[in-house]
Amino acid sequence: MSNFTRRDAIGTTAMGVAGVAIANGATARASAQGASRVAAFAGKHTPRPLRFDPKKLAGLSERLITSHWENNYQGSVRGLNTIETRLAAAMADPDYPTVAYAGLKREELHRTASVVLHEIYFEALGGNGNPGGSIYEALDGWFGSFEAWEEEFRRTAMSLAGGSGWCVLTWNAHTRSLHNYWAWDHMHGAVTGAPLIALDMYEHSYHLDYGTAAAHYIDAFMANLDWEVIDARYRANASQARNASNL
């Protein structure tokens, strides 16, 4: 499956424009090499390995998971590294065009969010789909019942089917509440929101197995969730909120 989408083409164009501006001589490139050693622009992100055997997921094929992990996720890791090194070069060049810098900053956000969301997505898979723990009780309380939460989560996900984006169960640290958020283009998450579950609704995440039948893909995703991982994420964030309230 090709992982080059229209979104990638737009990003590549933006990076291409930035690349033209960067190529302003050996002095700027030498300065960029020094700037690239700054941690913020290091460009040294590495992919996280899968924590489960992709052959053993129910309803999600090894081919689908491997393609998603190798092409889409790792493509975002590589893209983020490229963007960071180009930001380093731009910071070393006092004459770097503002319009080109704006494109780099947008791509930095896009690629960063894609990497984070993909890692949250993959790390919550490999379970039996049976919910439990503190997160179960919390969802039951916030939504009236766990089943009501799941229905709303699925409805939010299906609102993105055929398009692009993520359905994200989020702990909002500011309001100290749980919500299902609609996150388009990797970037439209709630401020202070900590993702607990991230469901990729881009077609690359399910088309190989399900074509356009996104609802069946959601069924398979839910059946493979590891709720111990999700519960640990929730407890860590809720604990931080309690500690902050005691300061």
Side-chain angles (χ1 to χ4, degrees), residues 80-235:
L80 179 57
N81 287 335
T82 298
I83 289 297
E84 286 188 358
T85 56
R86 292 187 175 183
L87 282 167
M91 286 300 295
D93 181 1
D95 298 318
Y96 196 88
T98 300
V99 65
Y101 197 78
L104 287 176
K105 293 302 290 185
R106 184 184 187 283
E107 284 301 311
E108 179 191 29
L109 181 58
H110 171 82
R111 298 296 176 177
T112 298
S114 178
V115 169
V116 171
L117 288 167
H118 274 103
E119 290 177 353
I120 291 170
Y121 172 86
F122 286 119
E123 288 171 6
L125 293 176
N128 59 15
N130 294 328
S134 300
I135 185 61
Y136 181 92
E137 298 172 2
L139 290 171
D140 188 80
W142 278 105
F143 287 84
S145 69
F146 180 85
E147 291 73 21
W149 164 77
E150 183 173 344
E151 179 182 354
E152 211 268 336
F153 184 84
R154 288 173 177 268
R155 181 174 294 187
T156 302
M158 283 301 297
S159 72
L160 289 159
S164 58
W166 297 76
C167 176
V168 188
L169 169 62
T170 300
W171 166 256
N172 190 312
H174 185 72
T175 59
R176 299 183 183 181
S177 57
L178 291 163
H179 297 276
N180 297 317
Y181 288 121
W182 179 95
W184 180 77
D185 200 29
H186 304 295
M187 298 187 293
H188 295 76
V191 175
T192 75
L196 306 180
I197 301 174
L199 171 53
D200 192 344
M201 289 304 297
Y202 284 82
E203 286 193 348
H204 66 242
S205 64
Y206 59 88
H207 194 269
L208 279 176
D209 283 357
Y210 292 105
T212 59
H216 295 309
Y217 158 66
I218 296 171
D219 290 341
F221 174 81
M222 300 297 287
N224 286 282
L225 284 176
D226 187 335
W227 282 91
E228 290 186 4
V229 171
I230 299 162
D231 188 49
R233 290 172 180 167
Y234 169 69
R235 286 186 287 105

